Amino acid sequence: MKKYNFSPGPAVIPSSVLREASEALIDFNGMGLSIAEISHRAPQFIDVIEEATSLVKELYQLSDDFEVIWTDGGASTQLALAPMNLVNSGESIAIADTGYWAIKAINAASPFCNVHVLATSNDTNYDRIPKDWELPKDTQYLHVVSNETIDGTQYHDYPTVPVPIVADMTSDFLTRPLPLHKFSLIFASAQKNFGLAGTTCLIIRKDILNKKLNHIVPTIFDYKTMIEQKSLYHTIPTFPVYVAMLTLRWTKAQGGVTEMHRRNKEKSTLLYNEIDKNPYFSGSVVAEDRSMMNVCFRANNQQIENSFLDFAEKNGIVGIKGFPTVGGFRASIYNAMPLESVQFLVDVMQKFNP
Ligand SMILES: *Cc1c(COP(=O)(O)O)cnc(C)c1O
């Protein structure tokens, strides 16, 4: 039976990318060697990582003020490395508590600096992005969770603040054009919008690294090392970088971030319209903050929830159970999710008769 994969991450990958990657895993470009068994310093791999870098620069039209870095350890690592590289102990950063990944960021940064928690929507189960706050004057940067993957909210306009923004864009990287002047650091793990778990892409505005720090940053964790060594200070996860490069090529061929944005709006609108119309379901998030990537919704009661999960599974729908602490449903519809699959989910919701 055909499967419709709504998993939150690792998530759906374009089938053309999977096919090409599987061929390269056996024989890369007719070398008689697997992409996974050549050196990360071999010229053939350098070509791959350089192409991946230039595709990110091209897709976002980055100026020379920015560097693109490939690393490992996931976005979770960057939640600690960003404050470690950017602020001194005793200085402050600020975060609006938008949910699961904001709390992770607060906890990861707290050993390094003061964290101003600007506001929270915890009291309404993170059904919105708190926007009513004032930035304390001593703030060095604002950390933003661009898209809360678990709670299903997304910034549709980034805050306007007099300090740089550090953005965890793991679940909405490459999904729309960006106001780049607002950001000093963007990071994203690959497994949601551009490939496999194992590599993380960083966009760093170079001038933020000029600051004199009063603590030691271990060489391997230092953004300056990563830039100087062109992401190759140690053995990068080569195959995930290769798949990221293929997915970036795919993204460009589809029409780039503008076209991704158009499709993501179309897909999410289709699904939210059904949720709002269907008598058995309701959306978990207020309309203005709804995510285009992770569509969270609930059934009217537990019995309907269970029977829809069962019905969806029988129809080949995978990965729509909500996060354990949140419950309900979450349909993750990243860049590689075709409109037809979202339409299929909508059809199944319409056929559902508990
Ligand atoms: C998935 C996700 C992460 C974690 O990524 P890892 O690769 O598991 O470290 C961090 N932030 C957000 C917003 C995510 O969606």
Side-chain angles (χ1 to χ4, degrees), residues 73-77 79 101 145 147 149 168 170-171 189 191-192 200:
S76 302
T77 303
L79 299 182
W101 289 109
V145 185
N147 182 79
T149 319
D168 177 357
T170 294
S171 46
S189 318
Q191 70 269 23
K192 281 139 192 174
T200 299

Side-chain angles (χ1 to χ4, degrees), residues 10 45 48-49 52-53 56 68-78 168-171 173-174 186-202 226 230-232 234-248:
F45 182 75
V48 167
I49 195 166
T53 299
V56 171
V68 173
I69 292 299
W70 301 90
T71 182
D72 42 20
S76 302
T77 303
Q78 301 311 318
D168 177 357
M169 232 175 255
T170 294
S171 46
F173 196 60
L174 301 168
I186 293 168
F187 54 84
S189 318
Q191 70 269 23
K192 281 139 192 174
N193 279 296
F194 57 107
L196 304 186
T199 191
T200 299
C201 185
L202 271 57
M226 299 182 195
K230 296 190 179 340
S231 307
L232 296 174
H234 81 135
T235 316
I236 184 117
T238 49
F239 187 61
V241 170
Y242 174 69
V243 177
M245 186 279 285
L246 293 181
T247 314
L248 288 158

Side-chain angles (χ1 to χ4, degrees), residues 155-172:
Y155 281 92
H156 295 293
D157 289 303
Y158 293 101
T160 296
V161 284
V163 297
I165 294 179
V166 169
D168 177 357
M169 232 175 255
T170 294
S171 46
D172 62 355

